[in-house]
Amino acid sequence: MREKIIAGNWKMNKDAAGTAELIEGLKAKCPSIPGNVKAVLCPPFTSLALAKSLLAGTQFELGAQNMYSENEGAFTGEISPLMLKSAGCTYVILGHSERRQYFAETDSFINSKVKKAFAEGLIPILCVGETLAEREKNVTDQVVTTQVKGGLAGIPASDAERIIIAYEPVWAIGTGKVATPAQAQEVHKRIRTITAELYGQAVAEKIIIQYGGSVKPDNAKELLHQPDIDGALVGGACLKADSFSAIIQAAH
Ligand code: PGA
C-alpha cells in the first residue's frame, strides 16, 4: 500500500522566530508521526538551516519550495539543488501554480528542474492543476495532462516512480473552496492513468499523488481516504501547529 505524504508549503511566511515557534509547536503536538505517514515541512529558503537543526531527532522531513536547474554559477537570486541538499532538504516543490502564474514558469522550465532534482537526488513534488476558467470550459483533463506530461518529459521510469505529483486546482488554493472528494478523486485517477500510459501500471501504482487546495483538519480525512489520494500539500493550515498536526493524524 502506498504511504501517505503530508507536506506543508509555508509559502512566503515565517521569519526565524516564527519558524522556531511553529516547529516547537509541531514537536509538542506531534511527538511521533503515525505509521505509513510521512510529514514534510517546506519553509522559505531562509529558514531551512534553522528548521533542520530544530527538527534533529524528529521524524519530520524537510523540503524547499523551488530551486534552479543548475548547481552553481552566475544566477543572481537563485538557489541550487546542492544548496538545498546541504541545508537538509529531501524534497523540492516544483511548478507550484503561484510560480506558474506570477513568475511565468512554463512546463519546459519546470521539466528542466524536475530532471535536475532527480539528478541530484532530491524528490520533486510536481504541482499541476487547472484554473476556475479552465474547469468551467471543461478543459481540466487537457490542462492536467499537458502539465503532467510536460513535467515528466524525458524522465525515465526509474525516477518517475519516485516523483510526487500534487494535484492542486488553482480555484481551491487559499480560497477555502475545497474540491469535493469525488472531484479530486476523479482527477487523481486520471493522473494515475496518464502515468500508466507513460510508464506502465506498476510504476503508476507507486507514484504518490497529493491533493492540495484548502486542505483543513475538517476535510482532510475524507479526501485522504479516496483510493488515489496519497497525501496532501497544505498551505494555510500548515502555518499553525494545531491544524497541521491534525491533518497529519487524519492521514493515518
Ligand atoms: P492552501 O494552499 O492550502 O492555502 O489552499 C495549498 C498550496 O498552495 O499548496
Side-chain angles (χ1 to χ4, degrees):
M1 215 178 98
R2 287 183 297 272
E3 61 196 348
K4 303 272 192 221
I5 302 185
I6 308 297
N9 174 11
W10 294 18
K11 307 193 180 184
M12 198 174 73
N13 293 292
K14 305 290 180 192
D15 59 8
T19 297
E21 190 188 350
L22 178 52
I23 290 180
E24 292 310 333
L26 286 170
K27 290 200 295 199
K29 296 267 169 205
C30 232
S32 69
I33 309 290
N36 211 33
V37 179
K38 280 187 174 166
V40 182
L41 307 184
C42 303
F45 295 132
T46 45
S47 286
L48 286 172
L50 173 61
K52 182 68 187 171
S53 73
L54 293 170
L55 291 172
T58 74
Q59 293 163 292
F60 285 97
E61 297 181 89
L62 204 56
Q65 298 172 21
N66 186 24
M67 61 165 230
Y68 191 55
S69 53
E70 296 290 335
N71 282 342
E72 60 187 7
F75 302 103
T76 300
E78 292 297 317
I79 303 281
S80 88
L82 300 185
M83 295 167 184
L84 296 183
K85 280 203 302 182
S86 83
C89 291
T90 309
Y91 301 87
V92 59
I93 299 171
L94 296 174
H96 190 279
S97 65
E98 287 149 17
R99 305 274 343 151
R100 294 177 189 262
Q101 199 179 336
Y102 305 138
F103 304 98
E105 292 201 5
T106 61
D107 285 320
S108 73
F109 183 50
I110 295 160
N111 175 246
S112 70
K113 301 202 262 188
V114 171
K115 284 183 179 147
K116 188 64 180 170
F118 278 126
E120 299 306 333
L122 290 164
I123 298 174
I125 301 177
L126 170 66
C127 300
V128 301
E130 81 287 2
T131 62
L132 183 58
E134 289 163 342
R135 177 161 282 262
E136 285 172 346
K137 273 194 270 162
N138 281 323
V139 294
T140 298
D141 190 0
Q142 287 96 305
V143 169
V144 169
T145 302
T146 302
Q147 291 175 342
V148 169
K149 288 191 173 166
L152 287 170
I155 303 292
S158 54
D159 283 335
E161 67 179 33
R162 294 182 298 124
I163 201 165
I164 299 174
I165 298 175
Y167 168 59
E168 299 202 300
V170 178
W171 49 270
I173 295 178
T175 58
K177 275 191 218 148
V178 65
T180 66
Q183 279 175 323
Q185 167 58 25
E186 187 188 3
V187 182
H188 280 235
K189 189 159 185 259
R190 179 70 191 122
I191 292 172
R192 185 111 31 227
T193 303
I194 298 164
T195 56
E197 285 162 8
L198 292 171
Y199 298 107
Q201 196 63 33
V203 168
E205 290 299 334
K206 289 188 189 168
I207 294 177
I208 299 288
I209 308 177
Q210 294 176 321
Y211 170 79
S214 297
V215 176
K216 305 277 182 266
D218 62 359
N219 59 30
K221 204 173 191 91
E222 215 191 331
L223 286 162
L224 290 165
H225 280 73
Q226 300 300 310
D228 289 291
I229 301 187
D230 311 313
L233 183 55
V234 183
C238 82
L239 298 174
K240 294 241 156 52
D242 281 4
S243 46
F244 195 55
S245 35
I247 293 169
I248 294 169
Q249 301 302 334
H252 184 44

